[in-house]
Amino acid sequence: MKLVGADVYFWSSGMPDVPKQIGPFVLQFISNRGTRVVQPIAPNAEFSDWWCCRYRADREVSHADVHALLETLSQKHVWTQVQKLFEINGANAYSEPY
Amino acid sequence: MSHKVVLIRGDGTGPELCEAVLKVLDASGAKIEWVEAEAGEKPLNRGEPIVPDRTIELIKQYKVALKGPMTTPIGKGSVSANVTLRKRLDLFACMRPVWTLPGVPTPFQDLNIVIFRENTEDLYAQVEYYTTPDVAVSLKIISRPGSRRILEFAFEWARANGRKKVAAVHKANIMKLSDGLFLQTAREVAQKYPEIEFSDYIVDNMCMQLVTRWRNFDVLVLPNLYGDIISDLAAGMMGGLGVAPGANFGRDCAVFEAVHGSAPKYAGLNKVNPTALLLSAVLMLRHLKETEAANRIEQALYRVLQEGKVRTYDLGGRAGTQEFAQAIVANMR
């Protein structure tokens, strides 16, 4: 298993304003209950207060890199859950949001 | 004034089913101007998204769509056009009415249940991870606002349509937090509708009750996965997926669709029963307040089914899709 990123889940009444890049990680998307929200969606779409921000690196990263990512995000935001993202045999071992 | 409605003909048997349904709608006097849009295999084969942005924008603009069945490609990275539409239009309420149709063989006489399935969260959030090479997890996401809006939608529909009972279905005895939240929200919402009798059922018990005491049920409301399963069970009780209609509602838009797949092996054979898509179109006409046209189609369909001379293969007949539609048109009064 190759560590390549992290999904960081935030408790926030609105979409969290998070950095687009932190260390080796680039923000790929923000989603809410599996639905990608940083693209055109229904005008009155409703969301929960639990947001997922996917940070992905284009190379293998260390667990310490993920800890540093969380430290940076913790300065302004409340995260409730983190899921490390892995590749297995070159394939993403995680789903993509709609 | 005519209604502008987005038409997605779909894949497999979708185009021929749409042709049949449009024939009937034209004859009904419904005032509809169709706006054609694509989704499914055609755009996908051109390298475009399975639901192109233009299609999403058209539905947002015109608010109502009728959709033929679409094929979900199987394989790595493929997405479902149906789920994409629901997610991107926030169509949170799936309505699946089932009732005994005249002339359609079923042991479940006097069936009359409307099922509301939450459409956007639960295991259908499709948030999945391998956490080790040997363990995959899928997040079952149940939110209070997501639960509340489907529950309120179901109760409001029951109130507006004179229904007397709403039952929430869950597995809160095992999933005490996620399904427990759905059940707790159901109990809170139910208090705002004192004229409607509220009850709750554990999903496995509901399966057993449905096939033994179906007359006891009126309106059911369920989280996404249970709704998916129970609504197909109920479609079978009605006579099969070939006759079961469906609709998906958001705050702004509604998409009406048959619940069956695109049956690609029958594509171009003029064989498949158009009743499911036609009854979905009837739901659409009622949504558009085209009540007379809706009643005219429904009564003509009932006459054809009752008479039994023109039947598609799934109901034991030999008529083709277009002949069945023509028989409905001929029976319209």
Side-chain angles (χ1 to χ4, degrees):
Chain A
M1 299 242 290
K2 182 173 145 188
L3 180 62
V4 292
D7 276 358
V8 186
Y9 288 82
F10 293 95
W11 177 16
S12 171
S13 57
M15 190 165 69
D17 182 18
V18 291
K20 291 193 169 49
Q21 183 152 14
I22 300 174
F25 301 103
V26 173
L27 176 67
Q28 285 202 321
F29 59 77
I30 298 177
S31 64
N32 193 291
R33 298 173 302 142
T35 302
R36 191 185 296 257
V37 293
V38 284
Q39 66 176 26
I41 47 167
N44 293 321
E46 294 159 18
F47 300 111
S48 72
D49 56 3
W50 200 49
W51 305 80
C52 174
C53 298
R54 174 162 295 172
Y55 283 95
R56 176 76 156 82
D58 58 5
R59 58 173 172 80
E60 185 167 14
V61 294
S62 67
H63 294 279
D65 287 329
V66 174
H67 297 164
L69 170 77
L70 292 176
E71 278 210 14
T72 302
L73 289 169
S74 299
Q75 289 167 13
K76 285 191 178 175
H77 302 279
V78 177
W79 60 265
T80 65
Q81 184 171 330
V82 177
Q83 172 64 54
K84 288 176 177 170
L85 303 176
F86 297 97
E87 281 182 6
I88 300 177
N89 300 325
N92 293 340
Y94 49 84
S95 60
E96 294 289 336
Y98 272 85
Chain B
M1 193 186 77
S2 68
H3 308 275
K4 283 196 172 180
V5 173
V6 176
L7 176 67
I8 302 169
R9 292 181 186 262
D11 303 318
T13 55
E16 59 207 84
L17 289 172
C18 284
E19 184 189 334
V21 167
L22 262 56
K23 193 184 295 178
V24 176
L25 262 65
D26 280 349
S28 74
K31 298 178 186 68
I32 294 175
E33 190 180 329
W34 299 103
V35 180
E36 299 263 353
E38 282 187 341
E41 283 183 327
K42 273 189 192 169
L44 200 62
N45 291 340
R46 290 198 303 265
E48 294 177 28
I50 197 162
V51 182
D53 287 347
R54 180 178 177 274
T55 299
I56 298 288
E57 291 306 323
L58 284 172
I59 300 173
K60 283 184 191 173
Q61 182 179 350
Y62 295 114
K63 316 288 188 200
V64 177
L66 179 66
K67 185 181 76 57
M70 292 193 287
T71 303
T72 298
I74 298 169
K76 187 185 162 194
S78 60
V79 297
S80 152
N82 292 328
V83 178
T84 303
L85 277 169
R86 291 170 201 158
K87 294 265 195 178
R88 291 199 58 198
L89 294 165
D90 204 20
L91 302 171
F92 64 88
C94 173
M95 183 174 83
R96 297 271 297 264
V98 291
W99 68 102
T100 309
L101 288 167
V104 174
T106 169
F108 302 99
Q109 293 303 307
D110 310 316
L111 179 70
N112 188 0
I113 302 171
V114 179
I115 297 169
F116 288 94
R117 164 190 173 189
E118 202 287 327
N119 236 356
T120 59
E121 55 182 37
D122 193 358
L123 284 162
Y124 273 73
Q126 295 181 61
V127 182
E128 297 191 295
Y129 305 98
Y130 271 100
T131 56
T132 76
D134 291 334
V135 177
V137 297
S138 186
L139 297 188
K140 176 182 166 87
I141 303 175
I142 301 285
S143 72
R144 198 184 306 277
S147 299
R148 185 179 296 121
R149 65 179 180 174
I150 184 63
L151 287 154
E152 287 176 345
F153 194 93
F155 273 95
E156 283 294 326
W157 188 92
R159 175 179 275 173
N161 290 276
R163 295 285 184 145
K164 306 293 182 209
K165 296 190 282 188
V166 172
V169 183
H170 58 87
K171 189 72 181 173
N173 58 329
I174 302 297
M175 282 159 281
K176 296 176 193 299
L177 300 186
S178 53
D179 279 17
L181 177 58
F182 182 81
L183 177 57
Q184 179 195 344
T185 310
R187 287 174 174 154
E188 288 166 8
V189 169
Q191 288 180 357
K192 295 193 294 182
Y193 302 85
E195 78 280 17
I196 295 174
E197 183 185 327
F198 173 70
S199 57
D200 71 272
Y201 289 82
I202 294 170
V203 63
D204 42 337
N205 182 30
M206 172 55 73
C207 292
M208 189 269 289
Q209 298 277 346
L210 262 184
V211 297
T212 53
R213 300 184 178 90
W214 61 92
R215 292 182 183 88
N216 288 352
F217 299 103
D218 194 352
V219 173
L220 307 183
V221 56
L222 311 90
N224 206 336
L225 183 62
Y226 307 146
D228 183 20
I229 295 166
I230 293 276
S231 58
D232 267 22
L233 169 69
M237 295 167 70
M238 183 182 181
L241 290 177
V243 296
N248 298 285
F249 297 95
R251 297 283 187 215
D252 301 295
C253 307
V255 176
F256 297 82
E257 62 181 0
V259 302
H260 57 70
S262 61
K265 69 177 178 181
Y266 294 129
L269 298 182
N270 184 38
K271 186 168 181 174
V272 174
N273 188 345
T275 298
L277 188 59
L278 183 60
L279 285 174
S280 305
V282 168
L283 294 177
M284 181 191 79
L285 292 176
R286 297 199 189 287
H287 177 73
L288 294 170
K289 311 290 184 207
E290 287 273 358
T291 310
E292 264 186 46
N295 290 341
R296 199 172 296 137
I297 293 171
E298 212 164 53
Q299 292 311 312
L301 170 68
Y302 290 173
R303 277 191 282 274
V304 172
L305 290 172
Q306 185 77 62
E307 200 177 48
K309 287 182 185 168
V310 183
R311 285 171 179 255
T312 46
Y313 82 98
D314 56 313
L315 299 179
R318 292 182 176 179
T321 308
Q322 308 308 325
E323 290 72 36
F324 188 75
Q326 195 53 52
I328 296 167
V329 171
N331 272 273
M332 222 173 268
R333 292 168 194 161

